[in-house]
Amino acid sequence: LRPPSDRSRAGEEGSTGPSGWRAPPTRLPAVGLFEEGRVTMELALAARMGLAALLGFLVGLERESRGKSAGERTFAIVALGAAGISGLAIMMFPETAGQAVAGVAAGIGFLGVGIIWRAEEGQTRGLTTAASILGVAAIGAVAGVGLYLTAVLATVLALFILEFDRMPGLSGLHRRVTGRTDEEGDGT
């Protein structure tokens, strides 16, 4: 969904460079309170954010079940925020939406750095949780731009990756390949 096309957007009449790049608008597009299509647009964005939060919550449950520092609420909020930012960008500022998604990735990078720490014995901890946060942000961004099936499939894949060593039949393969038992963990 995009806002109605009769809105004026500042900066669209400007000149473009040889690569077709156009300067971002200098002001926000007008969004009237009773403008046609506004409620539909807002409901679509809210649904995208809700789906992202649900998918993030599911991945967070896996991390919580392993006693990790970031759990279901953290993951749900990260996915919700990523969906909100990317959904708003694609709906209201389609010309510069990529910049908003890049901003989400950069912000999540800072959050991930805060999760990673080094234990006394020198082993790095929190890498899988930090990577999971990045993955959930990507899932949120994908849901935010309206790629629902992709978001659901990415969630299933993330859960498969995180639960691989607990799945019957596959856990034995995991132990043989890594040489670790379930009690030793993976340093996450």
Side-chain angles (χ1 to χ4, degrees):
L1 285 175
R2 288 204 172 127
S5 60
D6 60 339
R7 292 200 178 121
S8 63
R9 295 183 186 271
E12 286 191 348
E13 295 84 356
S15 62
T16 59
S19 65
W21 181 82
R22 190 180 302 235
T26 55
R27 63 182 170 86
L28 296 176
V31 179
L33 182 59
F34 299 107
E35 193 170 321
E36 182 182 336
R38 177 184 172 148
V39 172
T40 304
M41 181 178 65
E42 288 189 33
L43 289 174
L45 181 57
R48 291 173 181 185
M49 293 170 69
L51 175 64
L54 174 65
L55 297 174
F57 186 86
L58 293 175
V59 175
L61 278 176
E62 188 282 335
R63 296 280 78 199
E64 186 79 21
S65 74
R66 292 189 183 232
K68 302 306 174 186
S69 59
E72 71 271 356
R73 292 182 302 170
T74 303
F75 280 79
I77 293 295
V78 166
L80 175 79
I85 292 168
S86 61
L88 178 66
I90 199 76
M91 289 178 164
M92 301 300 293
F93 311 102
E95 300 85 17
T96 60
Q99 294 171 352
V101 174
V104 168
I108 295 304
F110 282 106
L111 181 61
V113 167
I115 293 172
I116 299 169
W117 56 282
R118 188 170 299 276
E120 289 180 20
E121 58 274 358
Q123 186 178 15
T124 302
R125 310 290 291 179
L127 291 173
T128 303
T129 300
S132 299
I133 291 270
L134 178 62
V136 163
I139 290 167
V142 168
V145 298
L147 301 173
Y148 311 118
L149 180 60
T150 304
V152 169
L153 293 175
T155 302
V156 170
L157 182 58
L159 289 171
F160 175 78
I161 292 167
L162 292 169
E163 286 294 308
F164 180 80
D165 62 334
R166 289 185 177 181
M167 293 180 181
L170 297 177
S171 61
L173 174 66
H174 182 261
R175 279 192 301 274
R176 281 192 297 273
V177 170
T178 64
R180 291 189 302 243
T181 64
D182 290 337
E183 292 79 33
E184 291 175 15
D186 61 357
T188 61

